[in-house]
Amino acid sequence: MPHRWPTRRAVRVWERNLTVFRKYSLPSLIGPSIGEPLLYLLGLGFGLGTLVGTVGGLRYVEFVAPGMVMSSTMFAAAYECTYGAYVRMIHQRTYEAIITTPLSLEDVVAGDILWGASKGAFNGTVMLAVVGLFGLAPSPWTLAVPVIIALLAVLFACLSQVVAALAKSFEFFNYYLTLVITPMFLFCGVFFPLESLPRWAQGLARFLPLTYAVEATRALMRGRPSAQALLPILWLVPPTIVAFLLAARLVRRRLIH
Amino acid sequence: MPSVAISASRLTKRFGDRVAVDGVDFDVEVGECFGLLGPNGAGKTTTVRMIHAFTPITAGDLVVLGLRVDDEPVAVKRRLGVVPQEENLDPDLTPWENLMVFARYFDIPRAEARRRAADLLEFVGLTSRAASPLDELSGGMKRRLLIARALLNQPELLILDEPTTGLDPQARHLVWQRLRALKAQGVTQVLTTHYMDEAAQLCDRVALMDAGRILRQGRPADLIRAEVGEEVIEIRGDEALHRAAVAALDGKSLRWERAGDTLYCYCADGRELLPALSTLKPAHLLHRPASLEDLFLKVAGRSLQE
């Protein structure tokens, strides 16, 4: 079967989700996706930081801040495109309702991914603003961080949509969050430099997209935007495309019969 | 303007080894209400899902509103409305918001969408519920809201998959009235149902489906008259009573059939048979016009197929 590409009509799905979100916005804003990284930043950065001292010449809270921005992006996109997408796709049959209109299933999947990515990007940007207010991102290069936020948000929205398309129930998402998202949160250079890991574990971390996003963000926020730190960001793009195509195909296989 | 809204020939859908729709042929004329009848699993839903470009066709031809569904699904979907079997309204939105959000999928401008949403809520009798939380609506109200939603794009063809399944009698009759009003406005309708009385109430023509095939199609009255006869007498009792009844009929019934505790006698005019049968004093004796249900049971058989 030839692949069908989404059209501009995908934006209609994004608008639909915004309409629903605006009715219930507050709980999801102060929910886990911003609240949790903020607590980590305060607890680990300022609390644990007094024990750790400096990492690579940075105060610990300065070291942790870029990872908090990236992980809040990752978590928000992941939650929205697992739990949120699953509810719309399976429980509420929203996808089936929408594809009786001129929108195709690929439009719906793309629109839902765009929405999850937007939530991720929004949360990441709010975290970035918080980090900036704490004076933890002194460089003007920090203004370029939203580009990385956007790339990471789209990637995790696509990956999570794949998981939602495969999930048999909500319990399935525990595996994903515990075995995929949490290890990235812990081992991608958010809390400690990759060099602290054994060599084989460093090699593994080099396969994980969050690693590059965190390193590039740290370089920008500290005002050291080298090609070596920034270019690896492009490695986020191929898995994004693969995950999107896979998500669209899996959703089609699941819903269309 | 073409007179044929849907033309299906050798239309087939296979899921792996299972044939859900097995080479069916039918036409639906503009302005008519066409019913697909049959038990669960007959292939009715799969057939309508192919019509509204949800399920891809395995083989055969399907032209809807002059367009091949395979080639132009978006253009087809733009011109039809779908009332699904399973309610899929947005539970977080009010009826009004449901309609306004759905209107965007058709690129209906906001002012026009507001006008249509107000008119349609009025049409389905939900104006006073426009701002209610969705979970405060009854099953019948939700079904009517689904009908309103399906009409937002002013479709030429309305597809209804079991429009009254699970509704109480009042709600059913309200839905039927709205559907007849739409037909009077010239909206072509295709509906699936396993309620034969619903088909009799609404459909100009029906196709009886079973196991993926169309067994009969035509006007309900013509089909009934041709295959069942005009009238039916039901006699309930034991086998001895049935035998006595058959003897009493003495060949005057066109056809008779036993099913469990009931003997069905199909005839042109039951009045001439009734005197002989009443002398047997059966506990239950019913003389009634023949129905689509009799026809269906005759052509599809009475045994339960699972």
Side-chain angles (χ1 to χ4, degrees), chain A residues 232-252:
Chain A
I233 280 298
L234 294 176
W235 285 115
L236 301 190
V237 177
T240 303
I241 295 169
V242 171
F244 172 74
L245 295 176
L246 191 59
R249 184 152 293 206
L250 288 172
V251 170
R252 181 165 278 282

Side-chain angles (χ1 to χ4, degrees), chain B residues 15-304:
Chain B
F15 297 109
D17 291 341
R18 191 170 72 82
V19 182
V21 176
D22 192 1
V24 300
D25 297 284
F26 63 90
D27 286 334
V28 177
E29 282 163 36
V30 168
E32 79 173 336
C33 178
F34 186 80
L36 289 167
L37 275 62
N40 295 327
K44 310 182 299 289
T45 295
T46 304
T47 302
V48 295
R49 282 182 162 187
M50 287 192 278
I51 294 171
H52 68 82
F54 184 95
T55 296
I57 296 162
T58 307
D61 279 311
L62 181 59
V63 177
V64 175
L65 302 170
L67 303 164
R68 286 177 53 88
V69 178
D70 267 353
D71 300 337
E72 300 184 76
V74 175
V76 169
K77 289 194 291 179
R78 205 173 272 292
R79 291 165 62 192
L80 48 82
V82 180
V83 178
Q85 194 178 120
E86 310 216 29
E87 182 256 305
N88 56 18
L89 297 158
D90 261 323
D92 301 320
L93 303 177
T94 64
W96 176 263
E97 291 166 336
N98 260 280
L99 296 184
M100 292 303 289
V101 163
F102 216 73
R104 284 206 293 250
Y105 302 138
F106 291 97
D107 294 320
I108 301 167
R110 271 189 86 72
E112 175 66 12
R114 269 192 220 106
R115 206 177 54 74
R116 288 191 199 177
D119 288 352
L120 286 168
L121 285 176
E122 177 78 36
F123 177 71
V124 297
L126 289 175
T127 303
S128 64
R129 296 298 193 133
S132 301
L134 209 70
D135 56 13
E136 288 178 12
L137 266 59
S138 67
M141 290 175 183
K142 285 181 180 169
R143 203 64 60 95
R144 272 141 59 202
L145 183 56
L146 283 169
I147 292 173
R149 193 182 72 175
L151 295 169
L152 273 169
N153 58 323
Q154 302 180 326
E156 292 155 67
L157 171 64
L158 185 63
I159 291 171
L160 304 117
D161 196 1
E162 300 195 5
T164 65
T165 297
L167 300 190
D168 62 38
Q170 285 86 351
R172 272 181 101 192
H173 279 267
L174 199 50
V175 167
W176 287 349
Q177 279 171 20
R178 297 298 82 191
L179 296 182
R180 280 195 294 259
L182 284 172
K183 196 168 111 59
Q185 293 170 20
V187 179
T188 310
Q189 295 171 35
V190 173
L191 65 88
T192 76
T193 184
H194 49 243
Y195 299 129
M196 301 297 153
D197 57 331
E198 178 159 286
Q201 286 273 345
L202 298 173
C203 299
D204 300 307
R205 288 192 310 126
V206 296
L208 304 188
M209 286 190 82
D210 194 35
R213 291 211 169 86
I214 292 181
L215 303 175
R216 299 287 187 284
Q217 58 179 313
R219 302 191 162 276
D222 296 348
L223 289 173
I224 294 165
R225 200 177 307 117
E227 302 247 4
V228 185
E230 301 283 347
E231 297 176 358
V232 181
I233 298 172
E234 292 179 13
I235 303 150
R236 204 162 296 159
D238 57 16
E239 203 179 331
L241 181 81
H242 290 168
R243 265 201 301 272
V246 171
L249 291 172
D250 191 23
K252 274 180 277 199
S253 169
L254 292 174
R255 192 171 69 85
W256 57 268
E257 179 188 18
R258 277 192 71 202
D261 64 353
T262 308
L263 179 75
Y264 298 88
C265 307
Y266 305 100
C267 47
D269 183 356
R271 275 172 303 184
E272 47 189 58
L273 305 178
L274 278 174
L277 292 172
S278 355
T279 58
L280 301 171
K281 304 210 182 315
H284 168 90
L285 177 69
L286 177 66
H287 176 211
R288 59 172 176 80
S291 69
L292 272 176
E293 195 141 324
D294 299 312
L295 172 68
F296 189 80
L297 293 172
K298 185 194 165 200
V299 298
R302 286 179 186 274
S303 61
L304 200 59

